[in-house]
Amino acid sequence: MSKITLVEAVNQALEYEMAHNNNVIILGEDVGKNGGVFRATLDLQSKFGEERVLDTPLAESMIVGTAVGMATQGLRPVAEIQFMGFIYPAFDQIINHASRLRNRTRGRLHCPLVIRAPYGGGIHAPEHHSESTEALFAHVPGLRVVIPSSPLRAYGLLLAAIRDNDPVLFLEPKRIYRMVKQEVPNKGEALPLDECFVLRSGTDITLVTWGAMVHETMKVAESLALQGVEAEVIDVATIKPLDIDTILQSVEKTGRCVIVQEAAKTCSVGAEIAAQIAEQGLLYLCAPIQRVSGFDTVMPLFKLEDYYMPSENRIYSAVKQTMEFA
Amino acid sequence: MSKITLVEAVNQALEYEMAHNNNVIILGEDVGKNGGVFRATLDLQSKFGEERVLDTPLAESMIVGTAVGMATQGLRPVAEIQFMGFIYPAFDQIINHASRLRNRTRGRLHCPLVIRAPYGGGIHAPEHHSESTEALFAHVPGLRVVIPSSPLRAYGLLLAAIRDNDPVLFLEPKRIYRMVKQEVPNKGEALPLDECFVLRSGTDITLVTWGAMVHETMKVAESLALQGVEAEVIDVATIKPLDIDTILQSVEKTGRCVIVQEAAKTCSVGAEIAAQIAEQGLLYLCAPIQRVSGFDTVMPLFKLEDYYMPSENRIYSAVKQTMEFA
Amino acid sequence: MSRVAAFEIEYVQYMDESGQALADLPNWATEVESLEHAYKWMLLTRLFDAKAVALQRTGQMGTYASCLGQEAIGAAIGLAMHPNDVFVPSYRETGAQLIRGSRMRDILMFWGGDERGSNPPIANQDFPVAIPIASQCLHAVGVATAFKYRKQNRIALCAIGDGATSQGDFYEAINLAGVWKLPVVFLVSNNQWAISVPRAAQSASQTLAQKAIAAGIDGVQVDGNDYIAMRDTLDQAIEKARSGNGATIIEALTYRLSDHTTADDASRYRSAEEVEVYKQKDPLLRLERHMRVAMGWDEGKQQSLKEQCQQQIEEEIQAYLTAEAAPPTEMFDYLYESLPKVYLKQRQQLFDEWQQHLGAREETVDTDVKESDHV
Amino acid sequence: MSRVAAFEIEYVQYMDESGQALADLPNWATEVESLEHAYKWMLLTRLFDAKAVALQRTGQMGTYASCLGQEAIGAAIGLAMHPNDVFVPSYRETGAQLIRGSRMRDILMFWGGDERGSNPPIANQDFPVAIPIASQCLHAVGVATAFKYRKQNRIALCAIGDGATSQGDFYEAINLAGVWKLPVVFLVSNNQWAISVPRAAQSASQTLAQKAIAAGIDGVQVDGNDYIAMRDTLDQAIEKARSGNGATIIEALTYRLSDHTTADDASRYRSAEEVEVYKQKDPLLRLERHMRVAMGWDEGKQQSLKEQCQQQIEEEIQAYLTAEAAPPTEMFDYLYESLPKVYLKQRQQLFDEWQQHLGAREETVDTDVKESDHV
Ligand SMILES: Cc1ncc(C[n+]2csc(CCOP(=O)(O)OP(=O)(O)O)c2C)c(N)n1
Ligand SMILES: Cc1ncc(C[n+]2csc(CCOP(=O)(O)OP(=O)(O)O)c2C)c(N)n1
Ligand SMILES: [Mg+2]
Ligand SMILES: [Mg+2]
């Protein structure tokens, strides 16, 4: 079996599910012949036809609102938003409709749709192409928000997202689209949608992260190991609903916690994790929680983006401080 | 001087500033002859003319996007969104433009605009009319988010918002639009935009809240006083940027903190406050932080809304638990 | 300079204000049963609507959006659609909801603040009332996309108001309907007002029907208070959509005789004279007059129909007023297909508060203690 | 049935592909200087554009959106507007930006990932390049609202692409421009593609100009590769707006000869033959041919203009490449008018990291240690 990248794993999951379920339909800008600007939908139109891979006109509210309508008919639309920075025109359709339809109709209609969007910084992209605003969606009741950090998890989580009977926002960290290759068995096996993944166990400190930052965090953990510090690394993966239990168990064991995220700090997912630890795990803590985070600024254009995003250095400093706290 | 309600204080501030600054222009749905569905803009069109109080077509993205354009010309548009539940079509204009224009142009253009919206539950309104999603906006860099909880603060903070040279989202808790009356001197005096208000000092526990929940929280504080527990009550008022110092100072003194908000819990403003305390004030804490909050559900239609929103009971239970923690 | 495109907008009307036919009527409209059946629904709608307003006024229901004066539209929608089509309403097509299977109690429940009202025992996949203006247009094109994909013989019908045509979602929807040639009909009830904003302040376009030109679809204007014209125009647009010939925008000229909702006071912004003018165009009066002249409808039939309606309404109101309350925990139970376990604690908290509240209520039933006094 | 409204869309062209006049030219277009001046800007734009692509290809700049083939539009916009009008661009009107005072270095800076590029030393209030498609249409109507309120003699001009006409913001903007009769012009560069989506898949409307009908404003189609037609149409629309007679949509028919951006590969989705056909319609070739025939333009003038342009471009590229880096702390310094004190700590952290990084860089300048090796 050959190794594939994260974006190839996305493509493989889409192809698998389309082949096995006629109700799965892809729609979005440039998803057809072009295969998506990152090639996530490569060749799917030629394999499954123009009726199942739909190039839409340029309108994000339309893409999501149309997907809502399709989903109520039992289709499983997988809508692509070209970059997360362009999802906002669809915000109303997501918060007021997709996420609420089951509840408003007491289950009579529901919305099995997936919205995929590449997100995050680090690829020297133009303005509005590099933000990480997952927290905005994690606040929305009725929605699931999933962020894979490896080819394997991209494959398994995307399958789960498509099969789930509720709306899922699936955010793909584009910085790692092609960073790592893994063997990804194409057997259609889904991964659970509401569990964190413990990527590395350790006893000294808990590092909680998701998306592209998993990689910097893992590197820091490995460096720490050389110094005799064993970090437990948790990839949250599904940030909504948030599996706080796995995190709390780890913090109970380690007594220390650093949360690493690319997003702006205020009201972020990191805030929610820290808050829940402060509520439910205060007594476990031997040191203050730290959030290593993007700044509360507009994501800068790419000349400065490396200064915005958490570097291994920034993570390491925070870990060191936390470890040294007595 | 006669006493006025919160919504009358909004009207008074608008009128004051319009009379003193020709650049202040109101726009929105039904703001003209009708005076706004809550009468916040009552009589302003007849006083200042149809060129300064503009009834717009029905389109929220248009209202905010147009206000952005107006603001770059040195006008000070005050845009009304009829209910917060209808602000989402304008989300793109808020996050991608209003909040960023100064930064993207390195100060060449800027956006002195105010977006006013009634928000929150408790008035038995129809679907989509009762949500509290202030956290979505508190996450947005470059924006200010202000929530008054009394006629006096509504007046002073709205004046400050209009005079501020950056975009401000001004959320008016409609449940208390007409709940309390106060004398509000019409002297054009603004209140500071990035400071919390300590409404009641106390030494035993810090209660942090904002908007309509200030009232339930104050009542609980008064009941507690009868039992010999002195609560310090902080009205955050400006939730973005968040004046954490005032909160930390209080928690340092009291050692206990309960945060009260109407919004859904996950990634809320309450999460941010709890996270910052966990980061910067951990050692002050004698008990876990608690968030008393709306649930992570869709805001129910009004038959059940009282079960959704924090009641005095819910607040009191949390305070009691926090006080009893040893 | 050369001309590269040209367009026209037509207007359809069959009856004048006195119910007199202005042109040869379509065949179906010469059949007594067709018109009586439609009239029955229109009258039921009007009488029910008045009761709904009264329930709100007496504190037994929440804010309600009356459809007074617009009943011909609701009836035409309800009667023109097939049962397995999908109706995507706004909030002012009460008659259509009734015809398509919502019970009056369901409608009252929705406006009474109870989600169960959007789960009526209907056999179709109609959407619930849409409050965020124009957002539902996209749901209709999505439904129509599904029909087209599955080669089903079904259509989606989306109802909106004049104000909704200013909203981006409307335009994005008609544009997609055009370019994908979808089986969908957009019905714009141009009742001249969007709350306090008059039609002229909403758009400089001479007609709302012509907005169709932007999307390359057909647009037609019709007298929305003329049931025969309304039904005929809808029949044609639906047939066109069903047979794969694409979407239509129907602009139905009508008038909102009531306040915007029970929370509104229209006298603040429009004149009594204007309302008087439009009262003359009343769709019920017009159809009734037509039936009296052309079909022997008489006072006796009118009275007995009215009584029949009123009885039905009374029963439904009773059912609404006596319905058992939903447990508050339902707010968790339809959030996801199954509740993620992390929310179980919140649900339990709500359950406990509810039980405590019930208990408290019983205990304090005869004292004057308010909930807050527990503190 | 009666007809209640009728509309037509006109098409404007003055020169055929060989530069031959098809009709009497407007007066200004018979003046040598006017056309030479325009041609100079078009050529400068084209040569600069090619260099910008080259800079990206060699890793000296970020993603760039070429305007190859669309230069007549940029030049016409830049030359038709008054200095104190406001231009609200998309990202494909490089020529217009240059004419209105952005230096080439500014434009390179923007695409090179530096916000300072959107702060050129211009004397007007033009908007920066807009990336979120169609969102800028609303800014233009807002600017025009301010002009109207202040009774200023100014207009706003908004440029978008064909794809942008599917987006709600576009429609909401034209609708407001219509109903408020605003001094604004919408220029749609219909270059036949929105990345990989062809014009026909974007909308079923025969023309994009006819979208104006939905808003009750004028729409006109023009050959966007014909500078004379382009400029003439713009002049008229601008004059109309300036004199209080409302908004216009101009659909400029053109073709994107380049990839969508340097990140795109157009050969994936469109044929070489199609591109060939459009190469014949090249706006520079056409104007040059016209000038040769009608105005004695010759190879000598052509060459010397080219050299002049190239020298200017070289200087600007040098200025871009040697510009000092901005301090990273600038990301805090323009966030608000003055930075709220709660963010001082974050700014300090960034400052410290920056200093540490600079220090680290110096220390490790000759070793192969990466930033991450500090850990
Ligand atoms: C997106 C959105 N904005 C604002 C509102 C508040 N609102 C409710 S009804 C209405 C006017 C609607 O007018 P129209 O579309 O003509 O329908 P009508 O009520 O006349 O039937 C407004 C502004 C809303 N419900 N949704
Ligand atoms: C709201 C939004 N959605 C998607 C994109 C990604 N995108 C960038 S350019 C483009 C196509 C634009 O086509 P068109 O309007 O025809 O302009 P052109 O590039 O052809 O000049 C798309 C989809 C974007 N920038 N903004
Ligand atoms: Mg209306
Ligand atoms: Mg294009």
Side-chain angles (χ1 to χ4, degrees), chain A residues 212-257:
Chain A
M213 293 315 304
V214 162
H215 293 263
E216 280 70 24
T217 306
M218 282 297 280
K219 281 198 204 148
V220 170
E222 282 150 27
S223 310
L224 287 168
L226 299 178
Q227 300 168 29
V229 175
E230 290 301 334
E232 181 140 309
V233 178
I234 296 177
D235 174 5
V236 181
T238 296
I239 60 167
K240 172 86 170 188
L242 178 71
D243 168 23
I244 193 68
D245 292 343
T246 301
I247 297 170
L248 282 173
Q249 276 160 28
S250 176
V251 176
E252 181 169 16
K253 180 170 64 175
T254 64
R256 296 172 203 263
C257 180

Side-chain angles (χ1 to χ4, degrees), chain A residues 1-316:
Chain A
M1 191 168 31
S2 65
K3 293 182 169 187
I4 61 176
T5 62
L6 197 156
V7 68
E8 287 163 346
V10 167
N11 183 265
Q12 181 172 299
L14 290 171
E15 187 190 343
Y16 184 94
E17 206 59 9
M18 290 188 83
H20 289 80
N21 186 345
N22 272 335
N23 289 324
V24 179
I25 307 249
I26 288 174
L27 73 164
E29 296 156 11
D30 305 292
V31 295
K33 218 171 189 178
N34 201 34
V37 293
F38 287 103
R39 311 289 175 253
T41 56
L42 191 70
D43 294 336
L44 297 179
Q45 193 180 60
S46 63
K47 283 176 192 151
F48 298 102
E50 295 196 0
E51 280 117 62
R52 292 189 64 196
V53 181
L54 301 162
D55 271 328
T56 62
L58 204 169
E60 285 74 14
S61 184
M62 183 271 284
I63 292 171
V64 175
T66 301
V68 167
M70 291 164 75
T72 61
Q73 287 297 311
L75 295 180
R76 296 189 171 268
V78 181
E80 176 172 307
I81 298 292
Q82 204 158 77
F83 288 88
M84 191 189 208
F86 309 132
I87 202 171
Y88 310 115
F91 205 87
D92 185 53
Q93 289 291 342
I94 295 171
I95 189 169
N96 274 341
H97 292 296
S99 308
R100 302 174 71 130
L101 195 58
R102 180 190 289 280
N103 183 69
R104 341 182 12 226
T105 61
R106 286 296 181 255
R108 188 169 62 81
L109 300 176
H110 65 281
C111 250
L113 73 88
V114 176
I115 303 169
R116 295 180 38 249
Y119 98 114
I123 65 158
H124 282 203
E127 201 169 3
H128 303 289
H129 285 68
S130 301
E131 284 74 5
S132 301
T133 55
E134 66 269 26
L136 300 176
F137 300 90
H139 188 57
V140 176
L143 191 66
R144 290 180 195 269
V145 184
V146 179
I147 306 177
S149 66
S150 74
L152 269 170
R153 282 188 293 282
Y155 180 80
L157 291 171
L158 182 51
L159 285 178
I162 300 174
R163 292 172 195 169
D164 192 78
N165 280 328
D166 290 302
V168 180
L169 177 65
F170 194 82
L171 296 171
E172 300 165 6
K174 59 181 164 319
R175 180 160 66 88
I176 58 170
Y177 255 160
R178 300 184 167 88
M179 194 166 96
V180 182
K181 289 193 171 200
Q182 267 180 332
E183 287 186 0
V184 180
N186 195 9
K187 298 196 187 133
E189 270 171 38
L191 287 168
L193 270 195
D194 35 25
E195 280 178 31
C196 297
F197 296 87
V198 179
L199 300 188
R200 188 183 192 289
S201 18
T203 47
D204 301 329
I205 186 165
T206 302
L207 306 181
V208 183
T209 187
W210 55 94
M213 293 315 304
V214 162
H215 293 263
E216 280 70 24
T217 306
M218 282 297 280
K219 281 198 204 148
V220 170
E222 282 150 27
S223 310
L224 287 168
L226 299 178
Q227 300 168 29
V229 175
E230 290 301 334
E232 181 140 309
V233 178
I234 296 177
D235 174 5
V236 181
T238 296
I239 60 167
K240 172 86 170 188
L242 178 71
D243 168 23
I244 193 68
D245 292 343
T246 301
I247 297 170
L248 282 173
Q249 276 160 28
S250 176
V251 176
E252 181 169 16
K253 180 170 64 175
T254 64
R256 296 172 203 263
C257 180
V258 170
I259 302 159
V260 183
Q261 66 181 8
E262 199 173 302
K265 200 166 191 175
T266 296
C267 292
S268 57
V269 176
E272 180 59 29
I273 295 170
Q276 291 210 36
I277 298 173
E279 289 174 319
Q280 302 173 55
L282 189 79
L283 300 189
Y284 308 152
L285 291 175
C286 316
I289 300 170
Q290 287 208 53
R291 283 180 290 168
V292 179
S293 174
F295 297 114
D296 279 317
T297 67
V298 172
M299 176 82 191
L301 292 189
F302 69 77
K303 276 265 166 71
L304 299 182
E305 72 177 337
D306 288 346
Y307 286 103
Y308 177 89
M309 297 193 296
S311 59
E312 287 175 45
N313 253 331
R314 196 183 295 165
I315 302 169
Y316 181 76

Side-chain angles (χ1 to χ4, degrees), chain C residues 161-163 189 191-194:
Chain C
D162 46 313
S189 292
N191 64 6
Q192 312 304 330
W193 292 92

Side-chain angles (χ1 to χ4, degrees), chain D residues 23 32 43 111 118 123 131 142 175 187 217 290 302 315-316 346:
Chain D
V32 180
L43 186 62
W111 296 107
S118 295
I131 301 286
N175 190 56
L187 176 67
I217 62 176
H290 178 79
Q302 177 77 13
E315 284 168 25
E316 287 290 317
Q346 290 191 17

